Amino acid sequence: MRLPVAVFLCVSLPLFAHAEEPVDTAQGIIQNQIAAFLNDDAKTAYSFASPTIRGKFPNETAFFDMVKKGYAPVYRPGNFAFGRSKVEGDMVVQEVLISGPDGKDWTALYQLLKQPDGSYKINGVHMVHAAPGPEI
C-alpha cells in the first residue's frame, strides 16, 4: 500500500526536527550563558556548567573569576555566531565564532553533555585564536 506524499511528509518531519534538537538546545544554552556573562549574572552563568566543571569550581564566584581571566572573548564578546556542530551520542560540540573585546577573532569549541535528567550542560570550552577553528 502506498501512502500519499502528504502523509509521508508528516510522518518524516518529526524525525528531522528531533535530529536538530540537541544542536538547537546546545545553542540556546550557550546563548543564555553568554547573556548571563554580559549581565554579570554569575548565578545564571554557573547554572549551565556540568557537574565536572562544578567540581573544579565549586561556587559561582570561583567559576566567574575563571571565565573573566581565562575566557575574555566569551565573557565579553563583541559579536558571536554559531558555526559548525557535531552530535556524538550524548555529546554536542558547537563551534562559536567570536569577536573578542580586543577586536581579535576567536573560535570557541563548546562541549555539552546530556545529563541523567535529559538536560545538557557545558562541560568545557576550548579557545582557538583563529576563525574558523579546527575540525570538530
Side-chain angles (χ1 to χ4, degrees), residues 94-112:
Q94 177 63 58
E95 178 183 68
V96 181
L97 308 171
I98 300 174
S99 174
D102 58 1
K104 294 181 181 174
D105 291 331
W106 291 84
T107 298
L109 295 174
Y110 278 77
Q111 181 190 72
L112 293 91

PDB file of all heavy atoms in Angstrom, residues 94-112:
ATOM      1  N   GLN A  94      29.821  22.348  19.700  1.00  0.00           N
ATOM      2  CA  GLN A  94      29.313  23.503  18.958  1.00  0.00           C
ATOM      3  C   GLN A  94      30.425  24.529  18.794  1.00  0.00           C
ATOM      4  O   GLN A  94      31.031  24.963  19.763  1.00  0.00           O
ATOM      5  CB  GLN A  94      28.138  24.137  19.702  1.00  0.00           C
ATOM      6  CG  GLN A  94      27.593  25.384  19.045  1.00  0.00           C
ATOM      7  CD  GLN A  94      27.017  25.123  17.667  1.00  0.00           C
ATOM      8  OE1 GLN A  94      26.114  24.313  17.496  1.00  0.00           O
ATOM      9  NE2 GLN A  94      27.531  25.808  16.654  1.00  0.00           N
ATOM     10  N   GLU A  95      30.674  24.897  17.561  1.00  0.00           N
ATOM     11  CA  GLU A  95      31.650  25.931  17.242  1.00  0.00           C
ATOM     12  C   GLU A  95      30.963  27.292  17.371  1.00  0.00           C
ATOM     13  O   GLU A  95      29.861  27.483  16.873  1.00  0.00           O
ATOM     14  CB  GLU A  95      32.134  25.707  15.823  1.00  0.00           C
ATOM     15  CG  GLU A  95      33.115  26.720  15.305  1.00  0.00           C
ATOM     16  CD  GLU A  95      33.469  26.431  13.851  1.00  0.00           C
ATOM     17  OE1 GLU A  95      32.594  26.581  12.980  1.00  0.00           O
ATOM     18  OE2 GLU A  95      34.620  26.047  13.601  1.00  0.00           O
ATOM     19  N   VAL A  96      31.626  28.218  18.069  1.00  0.00           N
ATOM     20  CA  VAL A  96      31.115  29.576  18.199  1.00  0.00           C
ATOM     21  C   VAL A  96      32.220  30.522  17.736  1.00  0.00           C
ATOM     22  O   VAL A  96      33.333  30.499  18.269  1.00  0.00           O
ATOM     23  CB  VAL A  96      30.696  29.902  19.648  1.00  0.00           C
ATOM     24  CG1 VAL A  96      30.137  31.313  19.734  1.00  0.00           C
ATOM     25  CG2 VAL A  96      29.675  28.888  20.152  1.00  0.00           C
ATOM     26  N   LEU A  97      31.931  31.316  16.717  1.00  0.00           N
ATOM     27  CA  LEU A  97      32.884  32.282  16.182  1.00  0.00           C
ATOM     28  C   LEU A  97      32.661  33.592  16.931  1.00  0.00           C
ATOM     29  O   LEU A  97      31.552  34.118  16.949  1.00  0.00           O
ATOM     30  CB  LEU A  97      32.670  32.451  14.681  1.00  0.00           C
ATOM     31  CG  LEU A  97      32.652  31.130  13.894  1.00  0.00           C
ATOM     32  CD1 LEU A  97      32.221  31.356  12.465  1.00  0.00           C
ATOM     33  CD2 LEU A  97      33.990  30.440  13.973  1.00  0.00           C
ATOM     34  N   ILE A  98      33.721  34.089  17.558  1.00  0.00           N
ATOM     35  CA  ILE A  98      33.596  35.228  18.461  1.00  0.00           C
ATOM     36  C   ILE A  98      34.580  36.328  18.086  1.00  0.00           C
ATOM     37  O   ILE A  98      35.742  36.065  17.802  1.00  0.00           O
ATOM     38  CB  ILE A  98      33.890  34.800  19.919  1.00  0.00           C
ATOM     39  CG1 ILE A  98      32.906  33.730  20.370  1.00  0.00           C
ATOM     40  CG2 ILE A  98      33.864  35.993  20.868  1.00  0.00           C
ATOM     41  CD1 ILE A  98      33.203  33.148  21.734  1.00  0.00           C
ATOM     42  N   SER A  99      34.099  37.542  18.126  1.00  0.00           N
ATOM     43  CA  SER A  99      34.959  38.716  18.043  1.00  0.00           C
ATOM     44  C   SER A  99      35.169  39.158  19.486  1.00  0.00           C
ATOM     45  O   SER A  99      34.219  39.548  20.168  1.00  0.00           O
ATOM     46  CB  SER A  99      34.268  39.814  17.238  1.00  0.00           C
ATOM     47  OG  SER A  99      35.044  40.988  17.266  1.00  0.00           O
ATOM     48  N   GLY A 100      36.400  39.060  19.952  1.00  0.00           N
ATOM     49  CA  GLY A 100      36.701  39.366  21.351  1.00  0.00           C
ATOM     50  C   GLY A 100      36.647  40.847  21.646  1.00  0.00           C
ATOM     51  O   GLY A 100      36.520  41.683  20.741  1.00  0.00           O
ATOM     52  N   PRO A 101      36.755  41.201  22.934  1.00  0.00           N
ATOM     53  CA  PRO A 101      36.696  42.606  23.331  1.00  0.00           C
ATOM     54  C   PRO A 101      37.842  43.431  22.737  1.00  0.00           C
ATOM     55  O   PRO A 101      37.723  44.640  22.591  1.00  0.00           O
ATOM     56  CB  PRO A 101      36.762  42.565  24.857  1.00  0.00           C
ATOM     57  CG  PRO A 101      37.295  41.219  25.206  1.00  0.00           C
ATOM     58  CD  PRO A 101      36.950  40.312  24.077  1.00  0.00           C
ATOM     59  N   ASP A 102      38.927  42.756  22.357  1.00  0.00           N
ATOM     60  CA  ASP A 102      40.072  43.437  21.752  1.00  0.00           C
ATOM     61  C   ASP A 102      39.963  43.501  20.225  1.00  0.00           C
ATOM     62  O   ASP A 102      40.868  43.967  19.548  1.00  0.00           O
ATOM     63  CB  ASP A 102      41.365  42.737  22.154  1.00  0.00           C
ATOM     64  CG  ASP A 102      41.389  41.267  21.753  1.00  0.00           C
ATOM     65  OD1 ASP A 102      40.414  40.779  21.133  1.00  0.00           O
ATOM     66  OD2 ASP A 102      42.391  40.591  22.068  1.00  0.00           O
ATOM     67  N   GLY A 103      38.850  42.982  19.669  1.00  0.00           N
ATOM     68  CA  GLY A 103      38.636  43.001  18.228  1.00  0.00           C
ATOM     69  C   GLY A 103      39.218  41.804  17.501  1.00  0.00           C
ATOM     70  O   GLY A 103      39.022  41.658  16.299  1.00  0.00           O
ATOM     71  N   LYS A 104      39.937  40.936  18.204  1.00  0.00           N
ATOM     72  CA  LYS A 104      40.523  39.753  17.572  1.00  0.00           C
ATOM     73  C   LYS A 104      39.479  38.651  17.461  1.00  0.00           C
ATOM     74  O   LYS A 104      38.582  38.544  18.292  1.00  0.00           O
ATOM     75  CB  LYS A 104      41.726  39.267  18.386  1.00  0.00           C
ATOM     76  CG  LYS A 104      42.868  40.270  18.370  1.00  0.00           C
ATOM     77  CD  LYS A 104      44.055  39.772  19.167  1.00  0.00           C
ATOM     78  CE  LYS A 104      45.158  40.818  19.146  1.00  0.00           C
ATOM     79  NZ  LYS A 104      46.269  40.455  20.016  1.00  0.00           N
ATOM     80  N   ASP A 105      39.633  37.834  16.416  1.00  0.00           N
ATOM     81  CA  ASP A 105      38.694  36.743  16.175  1.00  0.00           C
ATOM     82  C   ASP A 105      39.133  35.473  16.899  1.00  0.00           C
ATOM     83  O   ASP A 105      40.321  35.135  16.928  1.00  0.00           O
ATOM     84  CB  ASP A 105      38.583  36.451  14.679  1.00  0.00           C
ATOM     85  CG  ASP A 105      37.900  37.576  13.927  1.00  0.00           C
ATOM     86  OD1 ASP A 105      37.065  38.277  14.535  1.00  0.00           O
ATOM     87  OD2 ASP A 105      38.207  37.756  12.736  1.00  0.00           O
ATOM     88  N   TRP A 106      38.144  34.795  17.457  1.00  0.00           N
ATOM     89  CA  TRP A 106      38.364  33.552  18.181  1.00  0.00           C
ATOM     90  C   TRP A 106      37.341  32.523  17.738  1.00  0.00           C
ATOM     91  O   TRP A 106      36.250  32.873  17.283  1.00  0.00           O
ATOM     92  CB  TRP A 106      38.173  33.767  19.687  1.00  0.00           C
ATOM     93  CG  TRP A 106      39.222  34.617  20.315  1.00  0.00           C
ATOM     94  CD1 TRP A 106      39.257  35.985  20.359  1.00  0.00           C
ATOM     95  CD2 TRP A 106      40.393  34.172  20.973  1.00  0.00           C
ATOM     96  NE1 TRP A 106      40.377  36.409  21.018  1.00  0.00           N
ATOM     97  CE2 TRP A 106      41.093  35.314  21.415  1.00  0.00           C
ATOM     98  CE3 TRP A 106      40.926  32.917  21.252  1.00  0.00           C
ATOM     99  CZ2 TRP A 106      42.289  35.232  22.104  1.00  0.00           C
ATOM    100  CZ3 TRP A 106      42.122  32.845  21.952  1.00  0.00           C
ATOM    101  CH2 TRP A 106      42.790  33.990  22.365  1.00  0.00           C
ATOM    102  N   THR A 107      37.698  31.267  17.906  1.00  0.00           N
ATOM    103  CA  THR A 107      36.758  30.179  17.758  1.00  0.00           C
ATOM    104  C   THR A 107      36.700  29.472  19.105  1.00  0.00           C
ATOM    105  O   THR A 107      37.732  29.077  19.647  1.00  0.00           O
ATOM    106  CB  THR A 107      37.192  29.178  16.665  1.00  0.00           C
ATOM    107  OG1 THR A 107      37.225  29.873  15.418  1.00  0.00           O
ATOM    108  CG2 THR A 107      36.235  28.013  16.567  1.00  0.00           C
ATOM    109  N   ALA A 108      35.500  29.350  19.645  1.00  0.00           N
ATOM    110  CA  ALA A 108      35.294  28.619  20.896  1.00  0.00           C
ATOM    111  C   ALA A 108      34.590  27.321  20.547  1.00  0.00           C
ATOM    112  O   ALA A 108      33.554  27.327  19.897  1.00  0.00           O
ATOM    113  CB  ALA A 108      34.445  29.453  21.851  1.00  0.00           C
ATOM    114  N   LEU A 109      35.170  26.217  20.952  1.00  0.00           N
ATOM    115  CA  LEU A 109      34.552  24.910  20.752  1.00  0.00           C
ATOM    116  C   LEU A 109      33.939  24.486  22.085  1.00  0.00           C
ATOM    117  O   LEU A 109      34.658  24.158  23.026  1.00  0.00           O
ATOM    118  CB  LEU A 109      35.571  23.879  20.276  1.00  0.00           C
ATOM    119  CG  LEU A 109      36.163  24.142  18.906  1.00  0.00           C
ATOM    120  CD1 LEU A 109      37.264  23.141  18.591  1.00  0.00           C
ATOM    121  CD2 LEU A 109      35.077  24.078  17.840  1.00  0.00           C
ATOM    122  N   TYR A 110      32.629  24.552  22.145  1.00  0.00           N
ATOM    123  CA  TYR A 110      31.885  24.179  23.352  1.00  0.00           C
ATOM    124  C   TYR A 110      31.567  22.695  23.306  1.00  0.00           C
ATOM    125  O   TYR A 110      31.130  22.179  22.281  1.00  0.00           O
ATOM    126  CB  TYR A 110      30.559  24.928  23.412  1.00  0.00           C
ATOM    127  CG  TYR A 110      30.631  26.324  23.943  1.00  0.00           C
ATOM    128  CD1 TYR A 110      31.110  27.368  23.162  1.00  0.00           C
ATOM    129  CD2 TYR A 110      30.192  26.612  25.228  1.00  0.00           C
ATOM    130  CE1 TYR A 110      31.157  28.665  23.644  1.00  0.00           C
ATOM    131  CE2 TYR A 110      30.233  27.909  25.724  1.00  0.00           C
ATOM    132  CZ  TYR A 110      30.711  28.927  24.927  1.00  0.00           C
ATOM    133  OH  TYR A 110      30.747  30.208  25.416  1.00  0.00           O
ATOM    134  N   GLN A 111      31.745  22.041  24.437  1.00  0.00           N
ATOM    135  CA  GLN A 111      31.345  20.647  24.585  1.00  0.00           C
ATOM    136  C   GLN A 111      30.211  20.601  25.612  1.00  0.00           C
ATOM    137  O   GLN A 111      30.390  21.059  26.745  1.00  0.00           O
ATOM    138  CB  GLN A 111      32.511  19.786  25.058  1.00  0.00           C
ATOM    139  CG  GLN A 111      32.140  18.332  25.199  1.00  0.00           C
ATOM    140  CD  GLN A 111      33.225  17.546  25.900  1.00  0.00           C
ATOM    141  OE1 GLN A 111      33.409  17.691  27.101  1.00  0.00           O
ATOM    142  NE2 GLN A 111      33.946  16.729  25.151  1.00  0.00           N
ATOM    143  N   LEU A 112      29.068  20.104  25.197  1.00  0.00           N
ATOM    144  CA  LEU A 112      27.924  19.968  26.099  1.00  0.00           C
ATOM    145  C   LEU A 112      27.577  18.494  26.231  1.00  0.00           C
ATOM    146  O   LEU A 112      27.576  17.763  25.231  1.00  0.00           O
ATOM    147  CB  LEU A 112      26.708  20.732  25.572  1.00  0.00           C
ATOM    148  CG  LEU A 112      26.870  22.248  25.551  1.00  0.00           C
ATOM    149  CD1 LEU A 112      27.416  22.738  24.231  1.00  0.00           C
ATOM    150  CD2 LEU A 112      25.548  22.921  25.852  1.00  0.00           C
TER     151      LEU A 112
END
